[in-house]
Amino acid sequence: MRRIVLGLGAIMFMNSCQTLKQTTQGQVASATLDKFYPKELVFPANISADEKVLLSTRVVPTPQQLAWQKLELTAFIHFGMNTFTGREWGDGKEDPKIFNPTDFNAHQWVKTLKDSGFKLLIITAKHHDGFCLWPTKTTQHSVASSPWKNGKGDIVKEVKEACDKYGIKFGVYLSPWDRNAKSYGDSPKYNDMFVAQLTELLTQYGEIHEVWFDGANGEGPNGKTQVYDWKRFYKVIEELQPKAVKAIMGDDIRWVGNERGLGRATEWSVTPLYPDINQEIIQEQKALNISATAQDLGSEELVKKAKSLHWFPSEVDVSIRPGWFYHPEQDAQVKSLQQLMDIYYQSVGMNSVLLLNVPPDTRGKISEVDAARLREFGKYIQSVFSDNHIKNSKIEWKASNSSEKEFKTAGKTANLILLQEDITKGQRVEAFEVEAYQNGKWEVIATGTTIGYKRILKLEDCQPEKIKIKILKTRDIANISNVGLFYAPKIEAVEQKLQLNDFSKNKWKVQENQPLVIKLGENITAKAFTYQPLPDSEAAFKYQLSASKDGKSWGVLSKGEFSNIKNNPIPQIVKLDKVSEFSFVKFEVLEGADGGKPKTSIAQIGFLK
Ligand code: FUL
């Protein structure tokens, strides 16, 4: 990646904004800000802390990052071997013969997404199990070895063609972690294979706009941890698909830090954060105490301590269902319109892009419930945001600290306020306030911190004649480009209940705590067990569940991993290999999600008939 180093001599500051304060060194005293720094700015050594904050406003998106940000709604498609095995992470030992969608229809996916307002689709070309959805030359573990279309099919090709037909952009998820590749862990060899896979994807299917590298990593069959050559991967993308943004372990787009659809109310796109691609960077992030999951990624305090800044905006990835892959038992848990709208306000409305996952089923189609919900979601957004109560909302307002501006409204009931900064001139606003003029007086109806590309705040229903936006604090002249006032009609709440236990726990007694041994007080017959992670405590990752009829002789009922539980701590439902009868159970945590040995309580375990 190109690093732009800012030499002191090169700083030519103009009077378009505050003049930089005298520094102790006095070297940049007469300088003014006249330059923008796409994607990255490395601070000169002797710059003052305040100057760093001012210069942070000159870090801007690249054209690719800007185009991506404007998409707002993007979709993930998790489809692959796990769709057929019912797992979230395959172990790479799956037989390609299992992959056989009965009615694969990429057009149905893309048309549904297009009709719902989505602008880009990212397909899991290869997930952690290593199974490739295109006929790659790099491994046998692909669609070419599957019965689907007699091994002549190519999912990536069909999806890309459908995207072209309906006019939406296309991206690929290529998991660096590969649990099937024999070379995984033999770093140079696997990196060559990975580059070959990347090259196939980036040369055979036309234009690609996003490449998504997951951060999950593991050991190879040789027991060694794979060391990825990230810089080489970046270079391949930059050369072969210059319009593509590189996400997550890529350096253009940042993971928001959770898989729940939750953005930050204070979300800076300018941040010292950078993907952990080498030791120097890892040490630097440690020193600043930041990671993708940190709350503060851009405050003044942080910027003042940083050595460099990046335009590294947030992407909120979340699934429309509890899991990333389709599981029929989650059919009743498709997120409601209300849940999706909350996610929208917390992503697009919090200076992020939404990447909503919609996993097709074993037919190879988006299920009817999900498709209908998507359409409902798209229609709702369209109807709410097509009626701006403020005329002439597109503005070029240059606001300094304490500037305010009034807007006439249509006088109708409203409950959402929307603000945008022109991010081609950087992100600047630190605090703002919204006042409404109603019943003959002004009153504050909302306060917020950052704006960035887009900020939406929910309001109590109100009917102002006018509203007033006050920029309370900005790092430099703020460039406000859009103001909106809207009404979002109430959505009826739908209750979703997830059954995690079919038996009475009244008779259950803990016999041992670690591992957890429960005397059930009756003989039960179960076909599945459930495990519920607790908020704010380490979850079990690898486990073993044993059962007994007499509390003396035990047999293993289930042994495995709760894949992805660290990032997505949802209740786990595990089918037992065979329906079993027992009256004692033992739940052993073999490894915790953070590498510890967390305890389990009765409340976390359940059985299903
Ligand atoms: C995670 C993966 O481990 C999940 O399986 C999923 O692909 C999600 C989007 O990223 O880290």
Side-chain angles (χ1 to χ4, degrees), residues 63-82:
Q64 294 89 327
Q65 288 174 315
L66 182 65
W68 168 85
Q69 187 90 51
K70 288 182 176 169
L71 299 175
E72 299 192 4
L73 290 180
T74 64
F76 232 161
I77 295 272
H78 275 65
F79 185 61
M81 195 53 92
N82 295 331

Side-chain angles (χ1 to χ4, degrees), residues 141-262:
H141 203 55
S142 83
V143 278
S145 308
S146 79
W148 180 63
K149 296 200 169 176
N150 294 320
K152 302 272 178 296
D154 184 340
I155 302 271
V156 175
K157 180 161 180 267
E158 292 200 31
V159 178
K160 167 65 172 159
E161 281 172 2
C163 287
D164 288 346
K165 176 172 173 202
Y166 292 102
I168 75 172
K169 291 181 172 176
F170 181 67
V172 288
Y173 170 117
L174 185 68
S175 170
W177 186 27
D178 187 322
R179 296 173 109 179
N180 176 269
K182 290 206 178 50
S183 60
Y184 192 83
D186 178 347
S187 297
K189 208 163 163 203
Y190 177 74
N191 287 336
D192 284 348
M193 173 176 165
F194 191 75
V195 164
Q197 294 187 334
L198 198 54
T199 306
E200 287 179 356
L201 287 172
L202 303 186
T203 53
Q204 296 174 6
Y205 300 98
E207 212 155 56
I208 290 194
H209 284 93
E210 185 163 343
V211 179
W212 216 93
F213 290 148
D214 185 75
N217 192 349
E219 283 170 1
N222 62 0
K224 288 194 189 151
T225 305
Q226 172 70 28
V227 181
Y228 301 114
D229 191 346
W230 294 110
K231 289 272 162 154
R232 184 172 166 210
F233 305 162
Y234 289 2
K235 214 165 144 240
V236 172
I237 301 169
E238 282 158 15
E239 276 172 19
L240 298 177
Q241 291 286 347
K243 289 201 183 143
V245 282
K246 311 178 229 58
I248 314 309
M249 285 308 290
D251 62 351
D252 293 304
I253 308 300
R254 157 169 66 88
W255 178 45
V256 71
N258 64 76
E259 295 182 357
R260 282 174 293 141
L262 211 66

Side-chain angles (χ1 to χ4, degrees), residues 76 78 88-89 127-128 173 212 214 216 259 317 324 564 567:
F76 232 161
H78 275 65
E88 277 289 296
W89 284 358
H127 203 255
H128 309 329
Y173 170 117
W212 216 93
D214 185 75
E259 295 182 357
D317 63 326
W324 288 100
N564 202 29
N567 286 336

Side-chain angles (χ1 to χ4, degrees), residues 430-478:
E430 295 215 31
F432 66 92
E433 194 172 82
V434 184
E435 286 186 25
Y437 188 78
Q438 48 191 0
N439 309 321
K441 60 177 184 343
W442 286 103
E443 56 185 301
V444 176
I445 52 167
T447 54
T449 52
T450 47
I451 298 176
Y453 168 72
K454 189 173 269 189
R455 186 67 200 270
I456 303 171
L457 289 181
K458 288 192 201 171
L459 316 168
E460 293 290 325
D461 281 9
C462 56
Q463 253 188 338
E465 292 160 41
K466 296 182 280 187
I467 60 158
K468 190 175 357 185
I469 311 292
K470 273 191 185 172
I471 300 302
L472 300 177
K473 186 162 183 235
T474 179
R475 290 182 180 178
D476 194 357
I477 301 287

